[in-house]
Amino acid sequence: MSATAEMNELYAVVEQSAHTLGVPCAPETVRPVLAAYADAFGHDATVVAFRVATSLRHAGELDCRFTTHPEQRDPYAAALAAGLTRPTDHPAGAVLAQLQGRCHVDSHGVDFGVVGGFKKVYAFFTPDDLQEVSKFADLPAMPPALAGHAGFFARHGLADRVGVVGIDYHHRTLNVYFNDVPAGLFEPDTITATLLELGLARPSEQMLKLGREAFGLYVTLSWDSPRIERICYAVTTPDLATLPVRVEPEIERFVRGVPADDGDRKFVYGVAVAPGGEYYKLESHYRWKPGTMDFI
């Protein structure tokens, strides 16, 4: 199938998925994003996923994320060229270029909302080339909180486990995703101690049950605060019924309605904890290849 046909097919899937949630899907918002990265959709290795979340911040939105074509080395530049986002003097606009100049970025991803449009770019490292926080924490465009938490990452065995960096141009935040996380970090007592150390909310029993099954975690930083804003623990499963917690009704409704390209379902279920409490998010893979990095 050609890239254009794949793109049109994906738009139809996005529209169907949004309808399942009762979220408006405007062609003038979604199609320009897909068109800016059209080359990706005819590529066999492209991963496509949808995400919903239970927080008020994410209400009324459906996010779609996909990996870009391997030869498209600067997806942020593509977004600027297509008018998906405006040029900015904010440090967020310089992060990707500086990161690419310091580290070998294997591939990229893009995140957009059917309502909010273009939002994020992801920089992926290979599983056998996880990065050290110290390698890029001192880049001029990085949030100071990243270097400020060097001791935290080192104490918890995370300092050399960075698998993905996500830049949110919409909210002006940065996510750092850790893979091959030490198993002890998912024990209930350790999760509780970690959250309290960061000044985040005390976890619920449901959150601790889910955290015990996690495969990875990520932290959210901003340029406006010295603290870690959020931490998210994620579990992967082909069947939500196997999770040790009850899935929220709005997420169950989404799961029943969102399709999978080959019928082989794969989900990433996460719990994010902030100072004000916790919320849950689900990523449903529409197209996924074994061996590829999860967006979480």
Side-chain angles (χ1 to χ4, degrees), residues 197-220:
E197 177 184 356
L198 294 175
L200 302 175
R202 182 177 288 275
S204 66
E205 287 302 314
Q206 173 167 303
M207 186 268 155
L208 293 175
K209 288 179 181 178
L210 191 70
R212 202 167 207 163
E213 306 293 326
F215 74 93
L217 61 86
Y218 72 83
V219 297
T220 300

Side-chain angles (χ1 to χ4, degrees), residues 63-278:
D63 290 323
C64 176
R65 55 271 308 268
F66 54 87
T67 52
T68 61
H69 192 281
E71 294 181 2
Q72 190 169 46
R73 302 307 300 170
D74 194 337
Y76 178 57
L80 290 171
L84 303 179
T85 188
R86 294 180 180 179
T88 179
D89 293 330
H90 190 276
V95 168
L96 183 61
Q98 292 183 9
L99 187 66
Q100 291 171 327
R102 183 73 63 85
C103 305
H104 172 68
V105 176
D106 178 69
S107 58
H108 299 86
V110 167
D111 187 314
F112 73 93
V114 300
V115 175
F118 172 83
K119 294 181 179 180
K120 300 179 186 178
V121 162
Y122 300 90
F124 295 95
F125 309 112
T126 59
D128 60 353
D129 188 31
L130 298 180
Q131 298 293 304
E132 296 183 9
V133 173
S134 61
K135 190 171 182 178
F136 55 83
D138 65 340
L139 290 172
M142 282 290 168
L146 184 60
H149 283 85
F152 169 84
F153 299 130
R155 284 195 305 277
H156 292 284
L158 299 172
D160 59 351
R161 307 292 177 90
V162 180
V164 187
V165 174
I167 306 148
D168 188 329
Y169 301 96
H170 185 72
H171 293 107
R172 292 184 172 176
T173 56
L174 182 130
N175 291 343
V176 181
Y177 300 77
F178 298 93
N179 291 70
D180 292 341
V181 175
L185 283 186
F186 300 132
E187 291 298 322
D189 289 347
T190 305
I191 290 176
T192 301
T194 299
L195 297 180
L196 295 182
E197 177 184 356
L198 294 175
L200 302 175
R202 182 177 288 275
S204 66
E205 287 302 314
Q206 173 167 303
M207 186 268 155
L208 293 175
K209 288 179 181 178
L210 191 70
R212 202 167 207 163
E213 306 293 326
F215 74 93
L217 61 86
Y218 72 83
V219 297
T220 300
L221 312 165
S222 81
W223 283 266
D224 301 322
S225 170
R227 68 184 302 160
I228 288 177
E229 301 286 306
R230 291 186 300 279
I231 187 168
C232 179
Y233 297 80
V235 178
T236 183
T237 179
D239 181 3
L240 293 181
T242 65
L243 294 175
V245 297
R246 181 180 178 275
V247 177
E248 286 71 12
E250 58 266 48
I251 289 181
E252 287 183 342
R253 185 171 70 252
F254 172 72
V255 167
R256 288 194 298 269
V258 69
D261 189 25
D262 59 3
D264 186 16
R265 305 306 295 269
K266 182 175 184 291
F267 304 102
V268 180
Y269 192 66
V271 53
V273 186
E278 62 193 45

Side-chain angles (χ1 to χ4, degrees), residues 18-93:
H19 179 74
T20 298
L21 288 173
V23 173
C25 181
E28 61 270 22
T29 299
V30 175
R31 284 195 178 277
V33 180
L34 300 182
Y37 305 98
D39 288 349
F41 303 117
H43 194 270
D44 289 341
T46 299
V47 174
V48 180
F50 297 99
R51 192 200 70 170
V52 292
T54 61
S55 71
L56 290 176
R57 175 185 176 186
H58 297 92
E61 180 66 289
L62 169 67
D63 290 323
C64 176
R65 55 271 308 268
F66 54 87
T67 52
T68 61
H69 192 281
E71 294 181 2
Q72 190 169 46
R73 302 307 300 170
D74 194 337
Y76 178 57
L80 290 171
L84 303 179
T85 188
R86 294 180 180 179
T88 179
D89 293 330
H90 190 276

